[in-house]
Amino acid sequence: MIGRRQFIRNSMMGAGALVFARSAPYMFGSDAAGADSRIEVLLDEPLGTISPDIYGHFTEHLGGVIYDGIWVGENSKVPNVNGLRKELIDEVKKIKASVVRYPGGCFADSYDWRDGVGPVDKRPRRTNFWAQVESAASATNHKYEPNRFGTNEFAQFCKLIGAQPYLAANVRSLTAKDFYQWVEYCNSPAGSTTLADQRAAAGFSEPFHVRYWGVGNESWGCGGNFTPQEYAVEFRRFVTWVPGFGENLAFIASGPSDYSWDWTRGFFEEIVRKDPGQVRSIYGLAMHYYTWNLSRGRTHNWDEGKGDALKFDVVDWYELLREGDAMESLINGHWQIMGEYDREHHVKLVVDEWGAWYRPGSEMTPGDALEQTPTLRDALLAGLNLDTFNRHPEKVSMANSAQLINCLNSLYLAHEDKFCVTPIGHVFAMYAAHQGGQSLRTIFSAPNVSYDRDGKPASFWGLKGSASLHDKELVLTVVNPHASEARETDVGIRGASVKSGTETTLAHSDIHAHNSFQDREVVKPQTKPLEIKGSVRYTFPSASVTRLTLSLA
Ligand code: AHR
């Protein structure tokens, strides 16, 4: 039986049209009859500022993410900006992506950043970490890394979309010196160092100003197969002397996968054993959580437990959401352990890989390893996860959906000149309004969803979401997980009245609905004004993600 760790280990071995308006929002005065649910937003109970960085992304040299997804080449017939796919740039700008992680993932710990800089015709070809999972149908540059896209191109992509770069260093197979020299290449001022000259020679005299640096990736597995104690020693060594060049460098330690409490405990134990003050060298602990096990408790086998992205029944719909909902207890659990060693909670959680991971078979471009086609179900999972991060602003300082394009949990799918925004991409566009807002405690009361789980009764919450305040504007996002029932809900804003508002809803009558290259707008949000006559009553459609934007008096 193989689990996720073994999967990673094995990989190491080889080297709207119908969208809707089923909602019927209306306001009520004295007639409060009919609603079975209530949402209470507590304006006087702020939880903290929602970091824009939790609306972050991840791009790895894996399958079609970089080559075909982001990079099409300057001479491509696909519209591009210096080789970077233009339609992607235009779309990502709309979602206000704050930060993008690169170059992996597992790829990071077999990558030499020097291979990807310097004259393009001199860059070496290398076997990609993921070559093992590529198929005969995969493009050659997915198996053998041509290094046409490297640090310069990535930095340019970030600049074009207005996001900060977050680079993951190679701890498994390079040295601490290679790490600080990569920082020097990116950040040293023009004319100051040989590496700054090399950067300028490539056309980038202005430093890249990279603040976020990951020290390895999944160091318990593909990133070196370390024990947490061994990794803590490496972490200390890697961050001991790194020139900042005026940047407030933020080091992110490789953290646990899902329920690996022992990793968090072991890492912090070893870090503080040397010196309790050492926690201050850590900006964040990277936690990874993929929603993958749809076996209804039958197995923990990484291959057998996965479900299909497109073919699923209503039980699988609820199971995915239930599995995804574990994110909240994982955040709380790891945070509690961190607090045992870092009482002031200097170190925050960086959930730099999250999303659904299905079995292969739904890829829109045959041969794209790990690519899958997101449906409405994944839109609800995205809303659920983003709401969870919003509700824990003091704990989660960054999160990165894995991965931006042509992979798991992708916002976009592309192949050659074909492109579409997935339902997940639409959720990110809707939720961007939360960025930088003051998260507010919000109480959701709704009848639970009940369903039959292989002959046994199972249940799931009926409505959940998050709220944030931006001056006099309140943003409330809500997931209704019920596959077939709308939820008529009274929305109370304790401490203010509502002047005006808008509703944006992503829903569909078919829970399997998804977008494709041929049919790009099957799942698409609808926005309209809210009619305000007093307090708010809103009917959340079944199987929906909704954003209400309310102007407060
Ligand atoms: O996102 C795909 C892979 O999942 C990443 O490379 C790795 O970090 C994780 O196991």
Side-chain angles (χ1 to χ4, degrees), residues 47 50 54 325 328 384 386-395 439-440 442 444 461 464-467:
L47 301 171
I50 296 174
I54 69 167
D325 202 39
E328 189 145 32
L384 177 158
L386 294 171
D387 284 325
T388 303
F389 303 145
N390 288 343
R391 291 196 299 267
H392 296 275
E394 79 291 11
K395 305 183 185 81
S439 177
L440 298 171
T442 304
F444 296 84
W461 46 255
K464 226 175 196 176
S466 63

mmCIF file with all atom_site columns, all heavy atoms in Angstrom, residues 47 50 54 325 328 384 386-395 439-440 442 444 461 464-467:
data_model
loop_
_atom_site.group_PDB
_atom_site.id
_atom_site.type_symbol
_atom_site.label_atom_id
_atom_site.label_alt_id
_atom_site.label_comp_id
_atom_site.label_asym_id
_atom_site.label_entity_id
_atom_site.label_seq_id
_atom_site.pdbx_PDB_ins_code
_atom_site.Cartn_x
_atom_site.Cartn_y
_atom_site.Cartn_z
_atom_site.occupancy
_atom_site.B_iso_or_equiv
_atom_site.pdbx_formal_charge
_atom_site.auth_seq_id
_atom_site.auth_comp_id
_atom_site.auth_asym_id
_atom_site.auth_atom_id
_atom_site.pdbx_PDB_model_num
ATOM 1   N N   . LEU A 1 47  ? -10.869 39.945 13.561 1.00 0.00 ? 47  LEU A N   1
ATOM 2   C CA  . LEU A 1 47  ? -9.956  38.812 13.793 1.00 0.00 ? 47  LEU A CA  1
ATOM 3   C C   . LEU A 1 47  ? -8.537  39.102 13.323 1.00 0.00 ? 47  LEU A C   1
ATOM 4   O O   . LEU A 1 47  ? -7.608  38.380 13.653 1.00 0.00 ? 47  LEU A O   1
ATOM 5   C CB  . LEU A 1 47  ? -10.484 37.567 13.045 1.00 0.00 ? 47  LEU A CB  1
ATOM 6   C CG  . LEU A 1 47  ? -11.869 37.084 13.426 1.00 0.00 ? 47  LEU A CG  1
ATOM 7   C CD1 . LEU A 1 47  ? -12.336 35.991 12.468 1.00 0.00 ? 47  LEU A CD1 1
ATOM 8   C CD2 . LEU A 1 47  ? -11.860 36.565 14.851 1.00 0.00 ? 47  LEU A CD2 1
ATOM 9   N N   . ILE A 1 50  ? -6.604  40.379 6.604  1.00 0.00 ? 50  ILE A N   1
ATOM 10  C CA  . ILE A 1 50  ? -6.427  39.256 5.662  1.00 0.00 ? 50  ILE A CA  1
ATOM 11  C C   . ILE A 1 50  ? -5.251  39.572 4.748  1.00 0.00 ? 50  ILE A C   1
ATOM 12  O O   . ILE A 1 50  ? -5.287  40.521 3.961  1.00 0.00 ? 50  ILE A O   1
ATOM 13  C CB  . ILE A 1 50  ? -7.717  39.026 4.845  1.00 0.00 ? 50  ILE A CB  1
ATOM 14  C CG1 . ILE A 1 50  ? -8.853  38.600 5.782  1.00 0.00 ? 50  ILE A CG1 1
ATOM 15  C CG2 . ILE A 1 50  ? -7.484  38.001 3.736  1.00 0.00 ? 50  ILE A CG2 1
ATOM 16  C CD1 . ILE A 1 50  ? -10.201 38.475 5.107  1.00 0.00 ? 50  ILE A CD1 1
ATOM 17  N N   . ILE A 1 54  ? -2.479  35.352 0.927  1.00 0.00 ? 54  ILE A N   1
ATOM 18  C CA  . ILE A 1 54  ? -3.178  34.057 0.940  1.00 0.00 ? 54  ILE A CA  1
ATOM 19  C C   . ILE A 1 54  ? -3.876  33.832 -0.402 1.00 0.00 ? 54  ILE A C   1
ATOM 20  O O   . ILE A 1 54  ? -4.357  32.751 -0.682 1.00 0.00 ? 54  ILE A O   1
ATOM 21  C CB  . ILE A 1 54  ? -4.147  33.868 2.122  1.00 0.00 ? 54  ILE A CB  1
ATOM 22  C CG1 . ILE A 1 54  ? -5.352  34.765 2.001  1.00 0.00 ? 54  ILE A CG1 1
ATOM 23  C CG2 . ILE A 1 54  ? -3.442  34.041 3.451  1.00 0.00 ? 54  ILE A CG2 1
ATOM 24  C CD1 . ILE A 1 54  ? -6.447  34.395 2.964  1.00 0.00 ? 54  ILE A CD1 1
ATOM 25  N N   . ASP A 1 325 ? -12.470 20.283 4.109  1.00 0.00 ? 325 ASP A N   1
ATOM 26  C CA  . ASP A 1 325 ? -12.785 21.033 5.317  1.00 0.00 ? 325 ASP A CA  1
ATOM 27  C C   . ASP A 1 325 ? -11.801 20.736 6.452  1.00 0.00 ? 325 ASP A C   1
ATOM 28  O O   . ASP A 1 325 ? -11.713 21.493 7.421  1.00 0.00 ? 325 ASP A O   1
ATOM 29  C CB  . ASP A 1 325 ? -14.213 20.674 5.738  1.00 0.00 ? 325 ASP A CB  1
ATOM 30  C CG  . ASP A 1 325 ? -14.820 21.737 6.626  1.00 0.00 ? 325 ASP A CG  1
ATOM 31  O OD1 . ASP A 1 325 ? -14.584 22.923 6.356  1.00 0.00 ? 325 ASP A OD1 1
ATOM 32  O OD2 . ASP A 1 325 ? -15.513 21.373 7.591  1.00 0.00 ? 325 ASP A OD2 1
ATOM 33  N N   . GLU A 1 328 ? -9.151  23.366 8.200  1.00 0.00 ? 328 GLU A N   1
ATOM 34  C CA  . GLU A 1 328 ? -9.275  24.200 9.399  1.00 0.00 ? 328 GLU A CA  1
ATOM 35  C C   . GLU A 1 328 ? -8.651  23.530 10.618 1.00 0.00 ? 328 GLU A C   1
ATOM 36  O O   . GLU A 1 328 ? -7.891  24.150 11.374 1.00 0.00 ? 328 GLU A O   1
ATOM 37  C CB  . GLU A 1 328 ? -10.751 24.518 9.667  1.00 0.00 ? 328 GLU A CB  1
ATOM 38  C CG  . GLU A 1 328 ? -10.921 25.552 10.745 1.00 0.00 ? 328 GLU A CG  1
ATOM 39  C CD  . GLU A 1 328 ? -12.102 26.476 10.481 1.00 0.00 ? 328 GLU A CD  1
ATOM 40  O OE1 . GLU A 1 328 ? -13.091 26.010 9.872  1.00 0.00 ? 328 GLU A OE1 1
ATOM 41  O OE2 . GLU A 1 328 ? -12.036 27.654 10.883 1.00 0.00 ? 328 GLU A OE2 1
ATOM 42  N N   . LEU A 1 384 ? -14.298 27.216 -0.091 1.00 0.00 ? 384 LEU A N   1
ATOM 43  C CA  . LEU A 1 384 ? -14.209 26.698 1.278  1.00 0.00 ? 384 LEU A CA  1
ATOM 44  C C   . LEU A 1 384 ? -12.812 26.927 1.865  1.00 0.00 ? 384 LEU A C   1
ATOM 45  O O   . LEU A 1 384 ? -12.650 27.353 3.008  1.00 0.00 ? 384 LEU A O   1
ATOM 46  C CB  . LEU A 1 384 ? -14.576 25.220 1.206  1.00 0.00 ? 384 LEU A CB  1
ATOM 47  C CG  . LEU A 1 384 ? -14.566 24.270 2.365  1.00 0.00 ? 384 LEU A CG  1
ATOM 48  C CD1 . LEU A 1 384 ? -15.476 23.096 2.030  1.00 0.00 ? 384 LEU A CD1 1
ATOM 49  C CD2 . LEU A 1 384 ? -13.187 23.759 2.672  1.00 0.00 ? 384 LEU A CD2 1
ATOM 50  N N   . LEU A 1 386 ? -10.453 29.149 0.798  1.00 0.00 ? 386 LEU A N   1
ATOM 51  C CA  . LEU A 1 386 ? -10.146 30.576 0.930  1.00 0.00 ? 386 LEU A CA  1
ATOM 52  C C   . LEU A 1 386 ? -10.883 31.175 2.132  1.00 0.00 ? 386 LEU A C   1
ATOM 53  O O   . LEU A 1 386 ? -10.327 31.991 2.872  1.00 0.00 ? 386 LEU A O   1
ATOM 54  C CB  . LEU A 1 386 ? -10.476 31.324 -0.363 1.00 0.00 ? 386 LEU A CB  1
ATOM 55  C CG  . LEU A 1 386 ? -9.603  30.935 -1.571 1.00 0.00 ? 386 LEU A CG  1
ATOM 56  C CD1 . LEU A 1 386 ? -10.132 31.563 -2.864 1.00 0.00 ? 386 LEU A CD1 1
ATOM 57  C CD2 . LEU A 1 386 ? -8.144  31.342 -1.367 1.00 0.00 ? 386 LEU A CD2 1
ATOM 58  N N   . ASP A 1 387 ? -12.129 30.732 2.341  1.00 0.00 ? 387 ASP A N   1
ATOM 59  C CA  . ASP A 1 387 ? -12.861 31.193 3.527  1.00 0.00 ? 387 ASP A CA  1
ATOM 60  C C   . ASP A 1 387 ? -12.142 30.761 4.801  1.00 0.00 ? 387 ASP A C   1
ATOM 61  O O   . ASP A 1 387 ? -12.071 31.510 5.781  1.00 0.00 ? 387 ASP A O   1
ATOM 62  C CB  . ASP A 1 387 ? -14.294 30.632 3.533  1.00 0.00 ? 387 ASP A CB  1
ATOM 63  C CG  . ASP A 1 387 ? -15.212 31.354 2.561  1.00 0.00 ? 387 ASP A CG  1
ATOM 64  O OD1 . ASP A 1 387 ? -15.055 32.576 2.394  1.00 0.00 ? 387 ASP A OD1 1
ATOM 65  O OD2 . ASP A 1 387 ? -16.101 30.702 1.972  1.00 0.00 ? 387 ASP A OD2 1
ATOM 66  N N   . THR A 1 388 ? -11.633 29.547 4.797  1.00 0.00 ? 388 THR A N   1
ATOM 67  C CA  . THR A 1 388 ? -10.914 29.055 5.975  1.00 0.00 ? 388 THR A CA  1
ATOM 68  C C   . THR A 1 388 ? -9.699  29.929 6.245  1.00 0.00 ? 388 THR A C   1
ATOM 69  O O   . THR A 1 388 ? -9.451  30.340 7.379  1.00 0.00 ? 388 THR A O   1
ATOM 70  C CB  . THR A 1 388 ? -10.478 27.588 5.768  1.00 0.00 ? 388 THR A CB  1
ATOM 71  O OG1 . THR A 1 388 ? -11.639 26.807 5.494  1.00 0.00 ? 388 THR A OG1 1
ATOM 72  C CG2 . THR A 1 388 ? -9.771  27.028 6.983  1.00 0.00 ? 388 THR A CG2 1
ATOM 73  N N   . PHE A 1 389 ? -8.925  30.232 5.214  1.00 0.00 ? 389 PHE A N   1
ATOM 74  C CA  . PHE A 1 389 ? -7.750  31.098 5.418  1.00 0.00 ? 389 PHE A CA  1
ATOM 75  C C   . PHE A 1 389 ? -8.192  32.471 5.930  1.00 0.00 ? 389 PHE A C   1
ATOM 76  O O   . PHE A 1 389 ? -7.586  33.027 6.849  1.00 0.00 ? 389 PHE A O   1
ATOM 77  C CB  . PHE A 1 389 ? -6.951  31.271 4.119  1.00 0.00 ? 389 PHE A CB  1
ATOM 78  C CG  . PHE A 1 389 ? -6.479  29.971 3.502  1.00 0.00 ? 389 PHE A CG  1
ATOM 79  C CD1 . PHE A 1 389 ? -6.424  29.822 2.112  1.00 0.00 ? 389 PHE A CD1 1
ATOM 80  C CD2 . PHE A 1 389 ? -6.078  28.903 4.292  1.00 0.00 ? 389 PHE A CD2 1
ATOM 81  C CE1 . PHE A 1 389 ? -5.991  28.635 1.536  1.00 0.00 ? 389 PHE A CE1 1
ATOM 82  C CE2 . PHE A 1 389 ? -5.638  27.704 3.726  1.00 0.00 ? 389 PHE A CE2 1
ATOM 83  C CZ  . PHE A 1 389 ? -5.596  27.569 2.338  1.00 0.00 ? 389 PHE A CZ  1
ATOM 84  N N   . ASN A 1 390 ? -9.255  33.004 5.351  1.00 0.00 ? 390 ASN A N   1
ATOM 85  C CA  . ASN A 1 390 ? -9.749  34.325 5.790  1.00 0.00 ? 390 ASN A CA  1
ATOM 86  C C   . ASN A 1 390 ? -10.134 34.334 7.264  1.00 0.00 ? 390 ASN A C   1
ATOM 87  O O   . ASN A 1 390 ? -10.007 35.356 7.936  1.00 0.00 ? 390 ASN A O   1
ATOM 88  C CB  . ASN A 1 390 ? -11.003 34.731 4.994  1.00 0.00 ? 390 ASN A CB  1
ATOM 89  C CG  . ASN A 1 390 ? -10.699 35.107 3.559  1.00 0.00 ? 390 ASN A CG  1
ATOM 90  O OD1 . ASN A 1 390 ? -9.559  35.369 3.212  1.00 0.00 ? 390 ASN A OD1 1
ATOM 91  N ND2 . ASN A 1 390 ? -11.733 35.133 2.720  1.00 0.00 ? 390 ASN A ND2 1
ATOM 92  N N   . ARG A 1 391 ? -10.623 33.195 7.738  1.00 0.00 ? 391 ARG A N   1
ATOM 93  C CA  . ARG A 1 391 ? -11.066 33.137 9.144  1.00 0.00 ? 391 ARG A CA  1
ATOM 94  C C   . ARG A 1 391 ? -9.902  33.008 10.129 1.00 0.00 ? 391 ARG A C   1
ATOM 95  O O   . ARG A 1 391 ? -10.112 33.073 11.334 1.00 0.00 ? 391 ARG A O   1
ATOM 96  C CB  . ARG A 1 391 ? -12.030 31.944 9.355  1.00 0.00 ? 391 ARG A CB  1
ATOM 97  C CG  . ARG A 1 391 ? -13.375 32.104 8.673  1.00 0.00 ? 391 ARG A CG  1
ATOM 98  C CD  . ARG A 1 391 ? -14.394 31.107 9.237  1.00 0.00 ? 391 ARG A CD  1
ATOM 99  N NE  . ARG A 1 391 ? -13.996 29.727 9.025  1.00 0.00 ? 391 ARG A NE  1
ATOM 100 C CZ  . ARG A 1 391 ? -14.364 28.985 7.973  1.00 0.00 ? 391 ARG A CZ  1
ATOM 101 N NH1 . ARG A 1 391 ? -15.121 29.496 7.021  1.00 0.00 ? 391 ARG A NH1 1
ATOM 102 N NH2 . ARG A 1 391 ? -13.984 27.723 7.872  1.00 0.00 ? 391 ARG A NH2 1
ATOM 103 N N   . HIS A 1 392 ? -8.686  32.800 9.609  1.00 0.00 ? 392 HIS A N   1
ATOM 104 C CA  . HIS A 1 392 ? -7.510  32.640 10.484 1.00 0.00 ? 392 HIS A CA  1
ATOM 105 C C   . HIS A 1 392 ? -6.402  33.601 10.089 1.00 0.00 ? 392 HIS A C   1
ATOM 106 O O   . HIS A 1 392 ? -5.273  33.178 9.844  1.00 0.00 ? 392 HIS A O   1
ATOM 107 C CB  . HIS A 1 392 ? -7.019  31.188 10.432 1.00 0.00 ? 392 HIS A CB  1
ATOM 108 C CG  . HIS A 1 392 ? -8.021  30.229 10.974 1.00 0.00 ? 392 HIS A CG  1
ATOM 109 N ND1 . HIS A 1 392 ? -8.119  29.948 12.321 1.00 0.00 ? 392 HIS A ND1 1
ATOM 110 C CD2 . HIS A 1 392 ? -9.014  29.525 10.361 1.00 0.00 ? 392 HIS A CD2 1
ATOM 111 C CE1 . HIS A 1 392 ? -9.114  29.099 12.515 1.00 0.00 ? 392 HIS A CE1 1
ATOM 112 N NE2 . HIS A 1 392 ? -9.684  28.822 11.341 1.00 0.00 ? 392 HIS A NE2 1
ATOM 113 N N   . PRO A 1 393 ? -6.708  34.894 10.040 1.00 0.00 ? 393 PRO A N   1
ATOM 114 C CA  . PRO A 1 393 ? -5.723  35.842 9.525  1.00 0.00 ? 393 PRO A CA  1
ATOM 115 C C   . PRO A 1 393 ? -4.486  35.975 10.391 1.00 0.00 ? 393 PRO A C   1
ATOM 116 O O   . PRO A 1 393 ? -3.424  36.350 9.915  1.00 0.00 ? 393 PRO A O   1
ATOM 117 C CB  . PRO A 1 393 ? -6.497  37.169 9.480  1.00 0.00 ? 393 PRO A CB  1
ATOM 118 C CG  . PRO A 1 393 ? -7.569  37.019 10.493 1.00 0.00 ? 393 PRO A CG  1
ATOM 119 C CD  . PRO A 1 393 ? -7.937  35.563 10.500 1.00 0.00 ? 393 PRO A CD  1
ATOM 120 N N   . GLU A 1 394 ? -4.628  35.645 11.673 1.00 0.00 ? 394 GLU A N   1
ATOM 121 C CA  . GLU A 1 394 ? -3.465  35.774 12.568 1.00 0.00 ? 394 GLU A CA  1
ATOM 122 C C   . GLU A 1 394 ? -2.524  34.586 12.409 1.00 0.00 ? 394 GLU A C   1
ATOM 123 O O   . GLU A 1 394 ? -1.385  34.626 12.832 1.00 0.00 ? 394 GLU A O   1
ATOM 124 C CB  . GLU A 1 394 ? -3.929  35.940 14.021 1.00 0.00 ? 394 GLU A CB  1
ATOM 125 C CG  . GLU A 1 394 ? -4.365  34.682 14.766 1.00 0.00 ? 394 GLU A CG  1
ATOM 126 C CD  . GLU A 1 394 ? -5.662  34.042 14.286 1.00 0.00 ? 394 GLU A CD  1
ATOM 127 O OE1 . GLU A 1 394 ? -6.207  34.400 13.213 1.00 0.00 ? 394 GLU A OE1 1
ATOM 128 O OE2 . GLU A 1 394 ? -6.139  33.137 14.989 1.00 0.00 ? 394 GLU A OE2 1
ATOM 129 N N   . LYS A 1 395 ? -2.998  33.523 11.793 1.00 0.00 ? 395 LYS A N   1
ATOM 130 C CA  . LYS A 1 395 ? -2.193  32.304 11.664 1.00 0.00 ? 395 LYS A CA  1
ATOM 131 C C   . LYS A 1 395 ? -1.627  32.129 10.260 1.00 0.00 ? 395 LYS A C   1
ATOM 132 O O   . LYS A 1 395 ? -0.474  31.754 10.081 1.00 0.00 ? 395 LYS A O   1
ATOM 133 C CB  . LYS A 1 395 ? -3.042  31.054 11.975 1.00 0.00 ? 395 LYS A CB  1
ATOM 134 C CG  . LYS A 1 395 ? -3.733  31.053 13.315 1.00 0.00 ? 395 LYS A CG  1
ATOM 135 C CD  . LYS A 1 395 ? -4.479  29.746 13.542 1.00 0.00 ? 395 LYS A CD  1
ATOM 136 C CE  . LYS A 1 395 ? -5.278  29.756 14.833 1.00 0.00 ? 395 LYS A CE  1
ATOM 137 N NZ  . LYS A 1 395 ? -6.570  30.442 14.715 1.00 0.00 ? 395 LYS A NZ  1
ATOM 138 N N   . SER A 1 439 ? -10.744 40.842 8.784  1.00 0.00 ? 439 SER A N   1
ATOM 139 C CA  . SER A 1 439 ? -11.596 39.660 8.899  1.00 0.00 ? 439 SER A CA  1
ATOM 140 C C   . SER A 1 439 ? -12.498 39.804 10.122 1.00 0.00 ? 439 SER A C   1
ATOM 141 O O   . SER A 1 439 ? -12.054 40.262 11.175 1.00 0.00 ? 439 SER A O   1
ATOM 142 C CB  . SER A 1 439 ? -10.711 38.421 9.036  1.00 0.00 ? 439 SER A CB  1
ATOM 143 O OG  . SER A 1 439 ? -11.493 37.278 9.212  1.00 0.00 ? 439 SER A OG  1
ATOM 144 N N   . LEU A 1 440 ? -13.756 39.440 9.993  1.00 0.00 ? 440 LEU A N   1
ATOM 145 C CA  . LEU A 1 440 ? -14.723 39.605 11.083 1.00 0.00 ? 440 LEU A CA  1
ATOM 146 C C   . LEU A 1 440 ? -15.303 38.263 11.501 1.00 0.00 ? 440 LEU A C   1
ATOM 147 O O   . LEU A 1 440 ? -15.592 37.401 10.647 1.00 0.00 ? 440 LEU A O   1
ATOM 148 C CB  . LEU A 1 440 ? -15.879 40.499 10.620 1.00 0.00 ? 440 LEU A CB  1
ATOM 149 C CG  . LEU A 1 440 ? -15.517 41.929 10.213 1.00 0.00 ? 440 LEU A CG  1
ATOM 150 C CD1 . LEU A 1 440 ? -16.731 42.607 9.578  1.00 0.00 ? 440 LEU A CD1 1
ATOM 151 C CD2 . LEU A 1 440 ? -15.034 42.724 11.424 1.00 0.00 ? 440 LEU A CD2 1
ATOM 152 N N   . THR A 1 442 ? -17.915 35.728 12.171 1.00 0.00 ? 442 THR A N   1
ATOM 153 C CA  . THR A 1 442 ? -19.219 35.595 11.528 1.00 0.00 ? 442 THR A CA  1
ATOM 154 C C   . THR A 1 442 ? -19.808 34.247 11.909 1.00 0.00 ? 442 THR A C   1
ATOM 155 O O   . THR A 1 442 ? -19.112 33.226 11.874 1.00 0.00 ? 442 THR A O   1
ATOM 156 C CB  . THR A 1 442 ? -19.056 35.702 9.995  1.00 0.00 ? 442 THR A CB  1
ATOM 157 O OG1 . THR A 1 442 ? -18.406 36.939 9.720  1.00 0.00 ? 442 THR A OG1 1
ATOM 158 C CG2 . THR A 1 442 ? -20.361 35.656 9.251  1.00 0.00 ? 442 THR A CG2 1
ATOM 159 N N   . PHE A 1 444 ? -22.495 31.301 11.279 1.00 0.00 ? 444 PHE A N   1
ATOM 160 C CA  . PHE A 1 444 ? -23.338 30.687 10.241 1.00 0.00 ? 444 PHE A CA  1
ATOM 161 C C   . PHE A 1 444 ? -24.216 29.634 10.902 1.00 0.00 ? 444 PHE A C   1
ATOM 162 O O   . PHE A 1 444 ? -23.717 28.704 11.527 1.00 0.00 ? 444 PHE A O   1
ATOM 163 C CB  . PHE A 1 444 ? -22.468 30.027 9.172  1.00 0.00 ? 444 PHE A CB  1
ATOM 164 C CG  . PHE A 1 444 ? -21.618 31.009 8.407  1.00 0.00 ? 444 PHE A CG  1
ATOM 165 C CD1 . PHE A 1 444 ? -20.395 31.433 8.903  1.00 0.00 ? 444 PHE A CD1 1
ATOM 166 C CD2 . PHE A 1 444 ? -22.046 31.525 7.189  1.00 0.00 ? 444 PHE A CD2 1
ATOM 167 C CE1 . PHE A 1 444 ? -19.606 32.355 8.221  1.00 0.00 ? 444 PHE A CE1 1
ATOM 168 C CE2 . PHE A 1 444 ? -21.269 32.444 6.490  1.00 0.00 ? 444 PHE A CE2 1
ATOM 169 C CZ  . PHE A 1 444 ? -20.054 32.860 7.009  1.00 0.00 ? 444 PHE A CZ  1
ATOM 170 N N   . TRP A 1 461 ? -21.711 20.551 7.269  1.00 0.00 ? 461 TRP A N   1
ATOM 171 C CA  . TRP A 1 461 ? -22.342 21.832 7.573  1.00 0.00 ? 461 TRP A CA  1
ATOM 172 C C   . TRP A 1 461 ? -23.169 22.366 6.400  1.00 0.00 ? 461 TRP A C   1
ATOM 173 O O   . TRP A 1 461 ? -22.874 22.113 5.241  1.00 0.00 ? 461 TRP A O   1
ATOM 174 C CB  . TRP A 1 461 ? -21.338 22.868 8.063  1.00 0.00 ? 461 TRP A CB  1
ATOM 175 C CG  . TRP A 1 461 ? -20.038 23.044 7.312  1.00 0.00 ? 461 TRP A CG  1
ATOM 176 C CD1 . TRP A 1 461 ? -18.816 22.609 7.704  1.00 0.00 ? 461 TRP A CD1 1
ATOM 177 C CD2 . TRP A 1 461 ? -19.827 23.737 6.065  1.00 0.00 ? 461 TRP A CD2 1
ATOM 178 N NE1 . TRP A 1 461 ? -17.853 22.975 6.774  1.00 0.00 ? 461 TRP A NE1 1
ATOM 179 C CE2 . TRP A 1 461 ? -18.446 23.672 5.763  1.00 0.00 ? 461 TRP A CE2 1
ATOM 180 C CE3 . TRP A 1 461 ? -20.656 24.398 5.156  1.00 0.00 ? 461 TRP A CE3 1
ATOM 181 C CZ2 . TRP A 1 461 ? -17.881 24.235 4.615  1.00 0.00 ? 461 TRP A CZ2 1
ATOM 182 C CZ3 . TRP A 1 461 ? -20.098 24.948 4.017  1.00 0.00 ? 461 TRP A CZ3 1
ATOM 183 C CH2 . TRP A 1 461 ? -18.728 24.864 3.757  1.00 0.00 ? 461 TRP A CH2 1
ATOM 184 N N   . LYS A 1 464 ? -21.281 27.991 5.124  1.00 0.00 ? 464 LYS A N   1
ATOM 185 C CA  . LYS A 1 464 ? -20.107 28.546 5.801  1.00 0.00 ? 464 LYS A CA  1
ATOM 186 C C   . LYS A 1 464 ? -19.451 29.557 4.887  1.00 0.00 ? 464 LYS A C   1
ATOM 187 O O   . LYS A 1 464 ? -19.645 29.523 3.666  1.00 0.00 ? 464 LYS A O   1
ATOM 188 C CB  . LYS A 1 464 ? -19.121 27.445 6.162  1.00 0.00 ? 464 LYS A CB  1
ATOM 189 C CG  . LYS A 1 464 ? -18.591 27.562 7.575  1.00 0.00 ? 464 LYS A CG  1
ATOM 190 C CD  . LYS A 1 464 ? -17.719 26.367 7.892  1.00 0.00 ? 464 LYS A CD  1
ATOM 191 C CE  . LYS A 1 464 ? -17.446 26.168 9.343  1.00 0.00 ? 464 LYS A CE  1
ATOM 192 N NZ  . LYS A 1 464 ? -16.696 24.972 9.618  1.00 0.00 ? 464 LYS A NZ  1
ATOM 193 N N   . GLY A 1 465 ? -18.625 30.428 5.449  1.00 0.00 ? 465 GLY A N   1
ATOM 194 C CA  . GLY A 1 465 ? -17.953 31.429 4.628  1.00 0.00 ? 465 GLY A CA  1
ATOM 195 C C   . GLY A 1 465 ? -17.074 32.317 5.447  1.00 0.00 ? 465 GLY A C   1
ATOM 196 O O   . GLY A 1 465 ? -16.553 31.905 6.496  1.00 0.00 ? 465 GLY A O   1
ATOM 197 N N   . SER A 1 466 ? -16.899 33.543 5.002  1.00 0.00 ? 466 SER A N   1
ATOM 198 C CA  . SER A 1 466 ? -16.056 34.499 5.727  1.00 0.00 ? 466 SER A CA  1
ATOM 199 C C   . SER A 1 466 ? -16.502 35.905 5.362  1.00 0.00 ? 466 SER A C   1
ATOM 200 O O   . SER A 1 466 ? -17.158 36.129 4.340  1.00 0.00 ? 466 SER A O   1
ATOM 201 C CB  . SER A 1 466 ? -14.583 34.301 5.369  1.00 0.00 ? 466 SER A CB  1
ATOM 202 O OG  . SER A 1 466 ? -14.356 34.556 3.995  1.00 0.00 ? 466 SER A OG  1
ATOM 203 N N   . ALA A 1 467 ? -16.140 36.851 6.246  1.00 0.00 ? 467 ALA A N   1
ATOM 204 C CA  . ALA A 1 467 ? -16.519 38.251 6.003  1.00 0.00 ? 467 ALA A CA  1
ATOM 205 C C   . ALA A 1 467 ? -15.322 39.138 6.270  1.00 0.00 ? 467 ALA A C   1
ATOM 206 O O   . ALA A 1 467 ? -14.502 38.854 7.146  1.00 0.00 ? 467 ALA A O   1
ATOM 207 C CB  . ALA A 1 467 ? -17.666 38.656 6.928  1.00 0.00 ? 467 ALA A CB  1
#
